[in-house]
């Protein structure tokens, strides 16, 4: 991204999506009063400059599908207007800063397919405006999902495959009645599938395969009116009994 772009002091919208741009994000970006910064699907390298937090009016930061390294700046939590933060498909490391939980207007947080470590901070569970939370395929440490997930009542997509989740699926997930997609596959979840998932009347996909679940898929889940696909074993000889599940190849 050319540093000269920062000379446009009145610039509010900066969009470079899908242009195969190489190089880094200049730290001088903080001199702009941006509302939207979108540069997804390029070949950007280097780290996310901390100076980006000087753009205090940012609503959108979409940097997914690049080659960014380094960590998510902890000071991102000061961008209180931020609604969309997409960082997926990069080479980011380190932990998700708990300060992300301060983004009270955040609608969508996506940081899947990176190299993040630590655990999913419980601070995210206070983001009651979230409609999409996607953190799959990272290097997180083992931890339960926890009952506080019930606070995310506006969630439509909860995508946490391969995030080292353990323990049982919280029955409180059944309180997320706006869920359309629930992806918890490829984790270490145990126990039975809670009957409370039968309250997810908008759910189209419930993907739970490649875990250590047992028992039987509740009838109430199989009868969900919008359900298009539910998976629990993907052809393995172990796993919950299920009369309504699909093979993974058909998902």
């Amino acid at each position: 991204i050319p540093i000269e772009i920062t000379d446009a002091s009145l610039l509010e919208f900066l969009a470079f999506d899908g242009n195969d741009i190489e190089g880094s994000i200049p730290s001088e970006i903080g001199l702009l009063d941006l509302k939207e910064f979108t540069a997804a699907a390029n070949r950007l390298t280097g780290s996310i400059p901390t100076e980006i937090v000087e753009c205090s009016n940012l609503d959108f930061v979409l940097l997914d599908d690049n080659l960014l390294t380094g960590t998510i700046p902890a000071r991102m939590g000061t961008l209180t207007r931020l609604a969309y933060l997409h960082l997926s498909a990069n080479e980011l490391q380190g932990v998700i800063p708990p300060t992300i939980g301060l983004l009270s207007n955040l609608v969508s947080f996506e940081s899947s397919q990176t190299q993040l470590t630590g655990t999913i901070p419980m601070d995210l569970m206070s983001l009651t405006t979230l409609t999409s939370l996607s953190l799959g395929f990272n290097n997180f440490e083992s931890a339960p999902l926890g009952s506080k997930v019930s606070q995310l009542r506006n969630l439509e997509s909860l995508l946490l495959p391969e995030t080292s989740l353990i323990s049982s699926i919280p029955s409180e997930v059944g309180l997320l009645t706006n869920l359309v997609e629930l992806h918890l596959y490829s984790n270490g979840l145990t126990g039975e599938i809670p009957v409370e998932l039968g309250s997810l009347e908008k759910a189209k996909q419930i993907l739970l395969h490649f875990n250590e679940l047992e028992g039987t898929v509740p009838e109430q889940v199989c009868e969900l009116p919008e359900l298009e696909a539910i998976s629990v074993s993907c052809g393995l000889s172990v796993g919950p009994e299920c009369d309504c599940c699909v093979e993974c190849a058909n998902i």
Side-chain angles (χ1 to χ4, degrees):
I1 297 176
I3 193 172
E4 290 79 9
I5 200 74
T6 60
D7 293 333
S9 58
L10 299 180
L11 192 65
E12 294 184 344
F13 304 94
L14 185 56
F16 286 120
D17 304 274
N19 283 291
D20 282 334
I21 294 174
E22 298 181 347
S24 60
I25 302 170
S27 59
E28 287 82 1
I29 196 169
L31 298 174
L32 298 173
D33 189 21
L34 291 177
K35 292 183 178 178
E36 297 184 12
F37 176 38
T38 67
N42 285 292
R43 298 180 60 80
L44 295 176
T45 54
S47 60
I48 301 170
T50 301
E51 289 81 1
I52 197 171
V53 305
E54 302 301 327
C55 305
S56 58
N57 290 314
L58 272 172
D59 295 319
F60 288 73
V61 175
L62 309 183
L63 299 175
D64 39 309
D65 198 12
N66 278 288
L67 301 170
L68 295 170
T69 55
T71 61
I72 301 174
R75 290 182 60 202
M76 292 288 280
T78 65
L79 295 173
T80 54
R81 294 175 56 106
L82 198 61
Y84 291 82
L85 178 58
H86 290 187
L87 305 173
S88 296
N90 278 289
E91 298 176 9
L92 298 171
Q93 297 180 338
V95 303
I96 297 174
T99 51
I100 299 297
L102 299 175
L103 300 176
S104 57
N105 291 302
L106 200 61
V107 173
S108 179
F109 179 36
E110 299 184 3
S111 191
S112 62
Q113 300 180 64
T114 59
Q115 299 176 33
L116 296 174
T117 55
T119 59
I120 299 173
M122 286 298 103
D123 306 77
L124 300 185
M125 302 306 162
S126 65
L127 298 174
T128 56
T129 53
L130 274 182
T131 61
S132 177
L133 180 60
S134 177
L135 301 174
F137 305 105
N138 277 292
N139 297 323
F140 294 128
E141 299 169 9
S142 297
L145 180 56
S147 60
K148 288 186 177 180
V149 70
S150 65
Q151 297 174 196
L152 305 179
R153 297 295 180 91
N154 288 305
L155 268 188
E156 297 174 7
S157 296
L158 180 58
L159 310 179
L160 301 177
E162 205 167 309
T163 50
S164 300
L165 294 176
I166 57 172
S167 191
S168 58
I169 299 173
S171 60
E172 289 83 0
V173 172
L175 297 172
L176 305 179
T177 53
N178 287 304
L179 270 185
V180 176
E181 299 175 294
L182 176 62
H183 293 189
L184 300 178
Y185 59 88
S186 297
N187 281 294
L189 295 169
T190 57
E192 298 190 0
I193 297 170
V195 67
E196 287 82 0
L197 296 192
S199 299
L200 304 179
E201 295 193 351
K202 297 181 181 180
K204 293 185 177 181
Q205 287 191 340
I206 299 178
L207 306 185
L208 307 175
H209 53 275
F210 300 153
N211 280 289
E212 299 174 27
L213 299 168
E214 57 188 16
T216 302
V217 176
E219 183 178 345
Q220 296 91 327
V221 176
C222 283
E223 294 177 351
L224 286 169
E226 302 296 327
L227 194 62
E228 296 175 358
I230 177 171
S231 63
V232 296
S233 63
C234 282
L236 298 179
S237 58
V238 295
E241 297 180 13
C242 182
D243 294 329
C244 60
C245 293
V246 298
E247 293 297 330
C248 289
N250 298 324
I251 296 172

